[in-house]
Amino acid sequence: MSFLRLSGLEKTYPDGTRAVKGIDLECEEGELVVLLGPSGCGKTTTLRMVAGLEQPTAGRIEVAGEQTTGLPPGARDVGFVFQFYALYPHLRVRENVGFPLECMGVGKSERQQRVGEILERLGLSQLAEFLPEQLSGGDQQRVALARAMVRRPRLYLMDEPLGTLDADLRLEMRELIRTQQLETGVTTLYVTHDQEEAMSLADRVVVMEAGQIRQNAPPAQVYEHPADLFVAHFIGSPGMNFVEGRVHEGCFEGKGWTLPLSQESLRGPATLGVRPEHLRLDPQGPLRGRVAMDEYLGVCRHLYIDTEVGRLAMRVESDGRLPVGAEVGLSVAAEHVRLFDPTTGRGW
Ligand code: ATP
């Protein structure tokens, strides 16, 4: 039985905004599940409903088989970490971290011991006597994390917890969150709009758009087998290239380009998807085009090629500079293409 279950969860705000439109989601005990999607797709609203900070307009929330839908936040046993640190400004670090234990009535000596342990684990021992205003943003967020993790709640709910940190700190905190989560085994629902964060942290990624789930799968599956055109384009930077055409006698045909397919597919109109790293510069390649733009990114280079089937993005080695306007040939291996139904957008 799944540990966290959302069934038919909906939220319509009083002004009529339908933020969440019927979500079904199950998380196993100990899983770290990331809600990923563009701004406004309903991630935070979903998380806030699980926390009890918003009431759903319809649907159910169950934790460990127990219906929590109508319970107040304090009765749900969740550790919540927001994007903004929300520390108590007049309390020192050790008091901030110990606060949830105090609220639970944990005695002073046990409190001191548990606070000491978590401060040590998160590298905060030296800062125990500091006030929040004396800390950097990164340290404040680390304290917020310590406060959520000082007890072992049934669920961690994290809403863009790394959102305000700089790149180095994000990496460090990402590792810290994953290590802590694996060590404690607490089921975690984590919200972000940053796909790198989602892919690197998650056991499962739930891609949302406009209040609905588009795909719910492990990171590699979301990347390699996107469920629909939205996911194919949203995941990856740049996202998948698309070419409109049709499948006929085992081949994809699009605007003069014919590509034999590796397996028997349905026939009819199709959108072909190919990731930038799967396009190859190939003087004998069947696709001809000219370099429209060249982006140097250090670890690699992105070339944008204008071809007869439209502009295609491709990834090459960083030393593979080509002048704008250069004529090139392109090819792609059949096993790397994905096909989508152009009407529904769903993968074939
Ligand atoms: P972001 O990453 O920008 O936080 P999100 O995916 O978390 O986005 P939500 O914050 O859940 O999205 O918002 C979903 C939709 O609900 C948005 O259109 C938002 O404007 C709307 N919304 C959120 N809170 C309210 C509210 N209190 N009243 C009315 N509409 C709201």
Side-chain angles (χ1 to χ4, degrees):
M1 188 187 64
S2 56
F3 187 73
L4 170 67
R5 179 186 302 221
L6 314 184
S7 323
L9 202 62
E10 293 195 17
K11 178 69 183 182
T12 303
Y13 284 107
D15 68 357
T17 305
R18 286 189 68 205
V20 177
K21 301 173 186 165
I23 279 190
D24 296 307
L25 175 65
E26 298 192 7
C27 306
E28 299 304 320
E29 186 157 20
E31 255 192 318
L32 195 160
V33 174
V34 173
L35 304 182
L36 172 69
S39 184
C41 70
K43 308 178 293 289
T44 295
T45 303
T46 304
L47 202 73
R48 287 174 60 82
M49 288 194 280
V50 178
L53 300 169
E54 293 288 353
Q55 283 311 306
T57 353
R60 287 165 68 90
I61 301 166
E62 286 164 70
V63 180
E66 184 193 323
Q67 151 109 266
T68 66
T69 320
L71 291 180
R76 295 190 184 207
D77 193 17
V78 298
F80 205 104
V81 189
F82 298 91
Q83 177 171 4
F84 301 103
Y85 330 118
L87 300 176
Y88 302 108
H90 58 290
L91 296 185
R92 297 183 184 281
V93 166
R94 70 176 159 69
E95 293 163 331
N96 258 292
V97 174
F99 192 75
L101 299 178
E102 207 175 326
C103 294
M104 286 163 62
V106 175
K108 194 171 172 189
S109 67
E110 187 183 338
R111 217 161 63 218
Q112 279 174 344
Q113 187 208 332
R114 286 169 67 175
V115 170
E117 273 172 19
I118 193 81
L119 291 182
E120 175 77 34
R121 256 197 277 164
L122 298 199
L124 288 166
S125 304
Q126 310 287 334
L127 306 178
E129 299 307 320
F130 282 49
L131 288 167
E133 64 182 15
Q134 297 171 291
L135 304 179
S136 67
D139 286 337
Q140 288 189 37
Q141 192 62 330
R142 212 192 293 240
V143 175
L145 205 60
R147 194 176 57 188
M149 290 179 160
V150 70
R151 56 198 192 89
R152 194 182 181 283
R154 291 200 296 188
L155 270 181
Y156 288 138
L157 302 176
M158 303 196 183
D159 190 356
E160 305 261 8
L162 313 184
T164 53
L165 306 179
D166 64 33
D168 274 356
L169 264 171
R170 286 174 81 94
L171 263 184
E172 191 189 316
M173 292 287 287
R174 204 155 87 185
E175 191 184 336
L176 205 66
I177 286 174
R178 191 51 169 152
T179 314
Q180 282 293 309
Q181 195 269 339
L182 284 172
E183 258 175 39
T184 57
V186 175
T187 311
T188 302
L189 201 54
Y190 186 108
V191 161
T192 182
H193 65 272
D194 178 333
Q195 53 173 294
E196 188 184 308
E197 201 170 301
M199 302 297 258
S200 60
L201 274 174
D203 292 313
R204 231 153 14 95
V205 176
V206 175
V207 184
M208 290 181 66
E209 196 242 351
Q212 289 176 318
I213 293 178
R214 293 296 198 128
Q215 189 166 11
N216 171 0
Q221 196 177 334
V222 168
Y223 189 77
E224 287 161 27
H225 297 278
D228 62 18
L229 291 169
F230 174 82
V231 178
H233 187 69
F234 183 72
I235 303 285
S237 179
M240 227 178 221
N241 296 292
F242 299 126
V243 180
E244 300 301 330
R246 61 199 283 267
V247 172
H248 180 64
E249 294 184 350
C251 291
F252 173 82
E253 296 168 356
K255 298 176 185 159
W257 177 40
T258 300
L259 176 76
L261 297 169
S262 57
Q263 54 195 28
E264 203 43 48
S265 292
L266 299 171
R267 288 151 183 251
T271 302
L272 175 142
V274 56
R275 292 246 172 243
E277 63 272 27
H278 291 141
L279 281 170
R280 294 268 165 266
L281 287 171
D282 174 359
Q284 317 305 329
L287 267 174
R288 316 301 305 173
R290 280 182 191 278
V291 176
M293 200 163 67
D294 172 0
E295 286 176 348
Y296 174 73
L297 297 173
V299 289
C300 68
R301 190 178 277 282
H302 289 160
L303 298 177
Y304 294 84
I305 316 286
D306 282 338
T307 72
E308 58 259 49
V309 299
R311 181 166 290 188
L312 300 176
M314 66 179 300
R315 184 167 305 153
V316 297
E317 299 285 321
S318 44
D319 59 3
R321 185 175 175 279
L322 282 174
V324 169
E327 216 172 297
V328 293
L330 302 177
S331 62
V332 57
E335 72 262 28
H336 286 137
V337 304
R338 300 284 168 256
L339 293 171
F340 301 89
D341 179 327
T343 313
T344 62
R346 304 292 300 171
W348 270 13

